Amino acid sequence: MTTAHRRSSLQAAAAAATAPKSASRSLGSRTGPGYEPPEHRYTTTLRDLLEGVRPLPTPGDSRTSERPLSPETELYYSGDLGLVRRPCVAIVGTRAVTHEGAARARRLARELVKAGVVVVSGLAKGVDTEALTAAIEAGGQVVAVIGTPLDQAYPAENKRLQEAIYREHLLVSQFAWGSRTHQGNFPARNRTMAAISDATVIIEAGETSGTLHQAVACNRIGRWLFIARSVVENPNLTWPASFLGQPRTRVLADTEDVIGALREAGAWG
């Protein structure tokens, strides 16, 4: 595939994952009954968070139609911000995860925790929930990057998990307290998650999955991107071909692949 064709494919992948007709649709309040928002919350910027830890995104270097991520993006957080200074790997994928995909997410999370890696995810149903829960149960630390303000929990069934994360781990949002949640929040959340992490692993994702926004962001800002072998070998999926061949994109065969990439990138200093 030529560079021009690959660039066109990346644009198509990002476009397929976006639904313009609903991009401005408000999802309303997602707080849900019984959710207790964090009492202590703070603000920082992406620049201040990442400076000296990971390379900053450069707004002017976008090679796709994806909206660039600014280093001046304001972030709201509750919990231990120091977790971002440790090696961080995002485990992401579909909400409608299969039994096999859920098992892969849990196993990867446990093995990363054993290696001293902080597990990052988005607190959505499916892959996100499996990865975060498994990491916590294994005694590890996690970062959840959410598409709602800190005072809202979505999905509501994860409200207790979200409370545990801001109390004992780290909860991050780029959306101001009290603001309404829109469909467009979630692609933006994925781009921020890509920047916060040293690497992203996609466990399962369909042709129009919002996870593809994170894949595009990884390529654009030079973060490692791993795609599960089961996804790459799925004959019903065309999107992996748009990313394979990029400088820091690999097929994931084993957890050691990710750990090796982190070592190569100097994630342990």
Side-chain angles (χ1 to χ4, degrees):
M1 183 181 292
T2 67
T3 300
H5 286 165
R6 186 176 292 116
R7 189 171 300 166
S8 176
S9 297
L10 291 177
Q11 291 173 338
T18 307
K21 63 183 179 181
S22 61
S24 62
R25 180 166 62 88
S26 172
L27 301 181
S29 173
R30 317 303 293 185
T31 304
Y35 171 61
E36 297 181 11
E39 181 180 355
H40 304 289
R41 52 194 188 271
Y42 311 91
T43 62
T44 186
T45 64
L46 192 61
R47 179 185 299 281
D48 289 342
L49 181 63
L50 297 183
E51 200 138 41
V53 181
R54 292 176 189 91
L56 288 164
T58 304
D61 70 355
S62 180
R63 298 183 292 276
T64 75
S65 59
E66 286 279 274
R67 182 179 302 172
L69 183 64
S70 169
E72 307 311 321
T73 298
E74 191 165 26
L75 301 176
Y76 307 88
Y77 70 93
S78 185
D80 182 4
L81 201 62
L83 293 178
V84 177
R85 306 192 70 85
R86 293 170 50 186
C88 291
V89 172
I91 303 176
V92 296
T94 181
R95 290 170 171 82
V97 66
T98 65
H99 176 76
E100 294 77 13
R104 290 188 192 101
R106 292 194 298 268
R107 182 174 63 251
L108 177 60
R110 290 193 298 267
E111 292 175 353
L112 289 174
V113 164
K114 187 176 180 181
V117 175
V118 174
V119 171
V120 183
S121 202
L123 253 179
K125 295 179 183 179
V127 170
D128 293 14
T129 300
E130 298 289 347
L132 292 170
T133 302
I136 292 171
E137 289 175 349
Q141 295 292 113
V142 304
V143 177
V145 185
I146 58 175
T148 67
L150 298 181
D151 63 329
Q152 300 174 25
Y154 177 74
E157 64 230 52
N158 275 351
K159 60 190 176 186
R160 297 295 173 246
L161 177 58
Q162 184 164 315
E163 290 169 357
I165 288 172
Y166 74 66
R167 287 170 179 151
E168 302 171 21
H169 305 269
L170 177 63
L171 183 67
V172 179
S173 173
Q174 65 204 85
F175 306 103
W177 189 277
S179 62
R180 294 181 69 82
T181 300
H182 299 269
Q183 289 281 33
N185 287 23
F186 298 96
R189 176 273 311 271
N190 284 108
R191 290 190 284 271
T192 299
M193 200 190 319
I196 285 175
S197 306
D198 293 292
T200 288
V201 180
I202 298 178
I203 297 294
E204 282 185 352
E207 292 290 287
T208 60
S209 173
T211 302
L212 302 190
H213 291 282
Q214 190 153 336
V216 170
C218 286
N219 281 176
R220 191 180 70 79
I221 63 178
R223 299 293 194 264
W224 283 100
L225 172 64
F226 290 87
I227 306 172
R229 184 175 296 280
S230 57
V231 174
V232 173
E233 294 179 350
N234 187 335
N236 298 317
L237 296 177
T238 63
W239 71 259
S242 302
F243 297 93
L244 295 175
Q246 294 291 313
R248 291 197 169 196
T249 299
R250 294 181 182 173
V251 178
L252 178 68
D254 185 84
T255 303
E256 187 57 39
D257 296 341
V258 182
I259 295 170
L262 295 185
R263 290 196 185 103
E264 182 181 323
W268 274 277

